[in-house]
């Protein structure tokens, strides 16, 4: 952490099978792939640790050099407004949030337990994807539903991708050489999941995802905003169960559902360029909805100083960025086509005459997790 450099990256896929794949990439050296039987997450983390101290591929000499572990946790509910040191109450609270994040929170807990059983006694920190959005005012996070649902079931907007939007808020201020105070930013995180955040003085004031990551922008396979009555109408006329409707909205909608081709933007762009009509309309909806949110958030922020594009599509698709920005003329946005012709790099693509800065910033959620972990563990060690 002295110079915030990455020593190694890795992942384990197909946990629970006899041919699980562990990929380990020490910085500056070639990747190692190991296929073996990994039946649970505790074994997976154990193998990751072995790889970190491996005589040939390792990056540390001894496991005791690992002083802390940081975890990304999807849903912190209304309880967590920032990252925390994990103890048994925190684990209970993450468990309590399972109804709000049924797909992710159980897996996040499993990761925490797996790390604990492999390296007991090493402090662990939870970084919540919802925490950054806890600064939203009540008029932005409450739904116009019976108030009792908020009181009884905590039904409200939480927002996600908070770790990414927080990184973008800080990095954009640095890149523009401006203090966060007074800066009005619209951060567009466009990956498989996609969300927009309105950020004022470094704090989130509104975001497009809601109680779950289904609300807001059109996504790879998720619908984003629709009339809620569509749900009953389709369930009734297609004779669907709640689970089937849930799957329709989360896995079979978005770019995939409209185009019938793919939820992957690379394939949609290729199909648009080859003249496919359904891909074209899917792309048009995708880009139109981003612009609608930018317009709405420019109002929510009372003006906008910078628009930032990040995540897979935001970082890598000059075509999408150009189409979105072309439609923002009323805000005085222009971009430089040459600078925009770049992928995966931090670049200021603002046009010469633009009234609003436009930036591409590769997100770095791992760095935010590492920074929070260091800060919290250092404070705990010094008795604060
Ligand atoms: P996740 O939300 O799963 O982290 P990513 O941030 O990796 O997803 O984003 C994945 C999306 O980025 C996919 O739709 C993919 O097609 C898109 N993407 C990646 N590279 C490109 C590219 N060169 N051009 C257009 N889209 C791209």
């Amino acid at each position: 952490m002295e110079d915030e450099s990455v020593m190694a990256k890795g992942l384990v896929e197909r946990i629970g099978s006899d041919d699980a794949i562990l990929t380990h990439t020490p910085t500056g050296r070639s990747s190692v792939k190991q296929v073996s039987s990994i039946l649970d997450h505790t074994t997976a983390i154990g193998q990751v640790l072995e790889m970190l101290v491996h005589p040939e591929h390792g990056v540390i000499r001894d496991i005791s050099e690992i002083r802390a572990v940081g975890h990304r946790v999807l849903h912190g509910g209304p309880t967590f407004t920032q990252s925390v040191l994990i103890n048994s109450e925190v684990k209970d609270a993450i468990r309590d949030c399972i109804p709000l994040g049924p797909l992710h929170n159980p897996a996040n807990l499993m990761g925490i337990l797996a790390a604990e059983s492999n390296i007991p006694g090493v402090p662990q920190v939870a970084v919540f994807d919802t925490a950054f959005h806890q600064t939203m005012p009540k008029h932005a996070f409450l739904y116009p539903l019976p108030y009792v649902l908020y009181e009884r079931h905590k039904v409200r907007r939480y927002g996600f991708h908070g770790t990414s939007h927080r990184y973008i808020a800080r990095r954009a201020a640095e890149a523009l050489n401006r203090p966060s105070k007074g800066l009005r930013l619209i951060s567009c995180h466009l990956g498989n999941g996609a969300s927009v955040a309105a950020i004022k003085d470094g704090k989130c004031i509104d975001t497009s995802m809601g109680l779950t990551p289904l609300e807001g922008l059109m996504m790879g396979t998720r619908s984003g905003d629709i009339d809620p009555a569509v749900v009953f109408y389709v369930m009734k006329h297609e004779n669907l169960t709640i689970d089937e409707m849930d799957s329709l909205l989360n896995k079979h909608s978005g770019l995939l559902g409209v185009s019938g081709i793919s939820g992957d933007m690379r394939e949609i762009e290729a199909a648009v360029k080859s003249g496919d009509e359904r891909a074209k309309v899917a792309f048009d909806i995708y880009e139109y909805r981003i612009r609608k949110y930018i317009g709405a958030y420019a109002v929510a922020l009372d003006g906008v100083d910078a628009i930032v594009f990040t995540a897979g599509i935001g970082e890598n698709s000059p075509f999408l960025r150009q189409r979105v920005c072309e439609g923002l003329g009323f805000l005085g946005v222009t971009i430089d086509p040459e600078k925009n012709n770049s992928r995966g790099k931090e670049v200021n693509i603002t046009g010469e005459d633009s009234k609003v800065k436009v930036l591409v910033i590769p997100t770095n959620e791992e760095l935010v997790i590492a920074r929070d972990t260091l800060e919290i563990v250092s404070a705990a060690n010094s008795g604060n």
Side-chain angles (χ1 to χ4, degrees):
M1 285 308 286
E2 287 87 0
D3 58 359
E4 296 188 335
S5 63
V6 174
M7 298 164 78
K9 289 186 180 194
L11 80 157
V12 186
E13 294 163 281
R14 299 173 55 85
I15 294 174
S17 75
D18 283 332
D19 50 1
I21 311 158
L22 183 152
T23 311
H24 168 79
T25 313
T27 301
R29 288 184 270 162
S30 45
S31 283
V32 186
K33 253 193 199 325
Q34 188 177 279
V35 179
S36 66
S37 170
I38 301 181
L39 297 183
D40 57 52
H41 291 72
T42 304
T43 313
I45 297 289
Q47 299 226 357
V48 168
L49 293 170
E50 271 176 36
M51 202 50 112
L52 290 175
V53 294
H54 191 279
E56 191 185 340
H57 309 298
V59 292
I60 53 175
R61 235 167 287 145
D62 195 88
I63 295 292
S64 65
E65 287 175 46
I66 300 174
R67 307 296 281 277
V69 181
H71 294 265
R72 180 186 184 188
V73 180
L74 177 87
H75 219 305
T79 318
F80 296 106
T81 55
Q82 50 198 340
S83 305
V84 287
L85 194 64
I86 297 174
N87 56 24
S88 57
E89 286 89 57
V90 170
K91 278 183 273 182
D92 287 344
I94 295 173
R95 206 169 283 119
D96 289 344
C97 291
I98 287 177
L100 295 168
L103 297 179
H104 299 81
N105 273 36
N108 300 151
L109 254 185
M110 226 184 268
I112 292 168
L113 299 175
E116 274 181 354
S117 64
N118 274 287
I119 38 176
V122 173
Q124 306 204 45
V125 169
V127 179
F128 298 94
D129 232 19
T130 47
F132 180 63
H133 303 301
Q134 283 293 315
T135 48
M136 281 187 288
K138 212 166 186 177
H139 65 257
F141 76 66
L142 264 192
Y143 291 121
L145 291 168
Y147 198 80
V148 67
L149 295 176
Y150 168 56
E151 294 175 316
R152 206 183 283 160
H153 302 292
K154 303 178 192 138
V155 174
R156 51 160 284 184
R157 175 184 310 288
Y158 291 97
F160 298 86
H161 295 140
T163 316
S164 172
H165 289 302
R166 179 148 68 100
Y167 175 80
I168 294 301
R170 173 167 162 179
R171 185 67 210 132
E174 285 168 2
L176 295 169
N177 203 11
R178 285 187 56 170
S180 294
K181 184 101 193 112
L183 194 60
R184 296 162 300 178
L185 284 179
I186 298 178
S187 166
C188 306
H189 178 113
L190 311 174
N192 285 315
S195 69
V196 193
I199 302 167
K200 196 176 211 163
D201 301 331
K203 294 194 172 77
C204 176
I205 63 154
D206 204 351
T207 191
S208 59
M209 281 178 168
L211 174 75
T212 74
L214 183 57
E215 193 183 347
L217 295 175
M218 179 185 190
M219 307 179 213
T221 63
R222 289 175 233 164
S223 64
D225 298 334
I226 55 165
D227 177 350
V230 168
V231 176
F232 336 124
Y233 190 87
V234 171
M235 284 177 77
K236 190 167 158 199
H237 290 278
E238 290 283 325
N239 205 11
L240 300 184
T241 63
I242 292 179
D243 284 348
E244 286 165 342
M245 191 65 210
D246 183 280
S247 168
L248 185 149
L249 293 172
N250 275 294
K251 298 187 183 144
H252 302 281
S253 297
L255 290 172
L256 172 67
V258 177
S259 71
I261 295 173
S262 169
D264 188 306
M265 186 53 100
R266 283 166 288 203
E267 290 181 40
I268 298 298
E269 279 188 22
V272 169
K273 286 170 188 161
S274 67
D276 185 281
E277 279 304 314
R278 290 250 305 272
K280 194 172 161 311
V281 75
F283 186 91
D284 289 348
I285 302 171
Y286 189 89
E287 118 2 69
Y288 175 62
R289 288 182 163 225
I290 297 171
R291 277 192 290 128
K292 283 215 289 189
Y293 264 103
I294 291 175
Y297 287 172
V299 173
L301 289 163
D302 197 18
V304 51
D305 300 302
I307 298 169
V308 187
F309 290 96
T310 192
I313 300 170
E315 292 164 25
N316 293 300
S317 177
F319 184 55
L320 187 270
R321 295 192 298 253
Q322 180 208 327
R323 284 282 304 274
V324 169
C325 293
E326 265 171 13
L328 295 174
F330 86 103
L331 283 175
V333 173
T334 64
I335 58 170
D336 180 321
E338 254 169 58
K339 289 184 185 144
N340 183 41
N341 194 16
S342 125
R343 296 178 201 274
K345 282 200 298 273
E346 183 169 316
V347 50
N348 184 332
I349 61 171
T350 313
E352 225 169 73
D353 54 345
S354 185
K355 294 203 181 79
V356 178
K357 303 280 185 224
V358 187
L359 309 174
V360 178
I361 301 180
T363 194
N364 195 341
E365 291 158 296
E366 288 85 352
L367 180 58
V368 174
I369 295 171
R371 281 175 179 161
D372 278 9
T373 302
L374 175 68
E375 193 184 312
I376 287 171
V377 169
S378 309
N381 286 344
S382 67
N384 290 333

